[in-house]
Amino acid sequence: MLLRRFAITAGALVGAIAFSAPAFADTVNLSGTVASTSSVTSTATAGATTLSLAGQGTAAADTVVKVADMALSSNNSQGVTLAAAAGGSLTNGTGSLAYQVLIVADGAATPVATDFTATSDSKSVTDFASGVAARDLYIEYDAPALLDPGTYTSTITVTVTDI
């Protein structure tokens, strides 16, 4: 019986030691990356290539023209900053005509000349529906009574960056 008691006590002691042994733990670090997919596509309107520049003895002040429809997309829930910057004046090599740019909400009323303040503009865009949003781009210029003949051109650079 003593042997039996010793076996039970020894077994209990070995079991207690096994259960009181320190536990070992390790961690698994996880990570993943999602790239920004913010973009903008600008589509020139008919007004962009048929600007009325006057210049034939009659001036045209405060001329406002819609020049582009802009489609934006983004996977950034915070939104994006949309910017438009004139690449200089409208020029034909000898004559030039300064203009200003303005970004407005898609389908908004045509802005008035006093809404324009600079040759660049930027807006925060946070109203994405299913990852897409839209804006319109306008320019404003004052055409003088006389301009050198020729075709006047310029570019507007449109960029989008994550907020």
Side-chain angles (χ1 to χ4, degrees):
M1 180 106 141
L2 183 61
L3 188 57
R4 184 174 227 204
R5 226 188 246 169
F6 176 74
I8 292 173
T9 304
L13 185 60
V14 169
I17 291 171
F19 286 116
S20 67
F24 293 97
D26 198 4
T27 58
V28 176
N29 296 317
L30 304 174
S31 69
T33 302
V34 176
S36 171
T37 60
S38 299
S39 66
V40 60
T41 303
S42 300
T43 305
T45 63
T49 57
T50 58
L51 298 173
S52 175
L53 301 180
Q56 298 174 357
T58 305
D62 300 333
T63 303
V64 176
V65 179
K66 180 179 174 183
V67 294
D69 292 309
M70 296 179 291
L72 297 94
S73 66
S74 181
N75 64 341
N76 185 339
S77 62
Q78 299 299 308
V80 298
T81 299
L82 175 64
S89 297
L90 285 156
T91 183
N92 71 347
T94 58
S96 67
L97 179 63
Y99 65 96
Q100 297 178 327
V101 300
L102 184 66
I103 299 167
V104 300
D106 184 46
T110 300
V112 296
T114 55
D115 293 333
F116 293 79
T117 59
T119 58
S120 64
D121 188 25
S122 66
K123 299 285 191 281
S124 293
V125 180
T126 59
D127 61 339
F128 286 91
S130 300
V132 297
R135 294 293 185 270
D136 294 333
L137 180 62
Y138 283 84
I139 66 168
E140 184 275 334
Y141 58 92
D142 297 322
L146 298 174
L147 274 175
D148 289 335
T151 300
Y152 286 72
T153 61
S154 183
T155 59
I156 299 172
T157 302
V158 179
T159 58
V160 62
T161 55
D162 288 339
I163 290 179

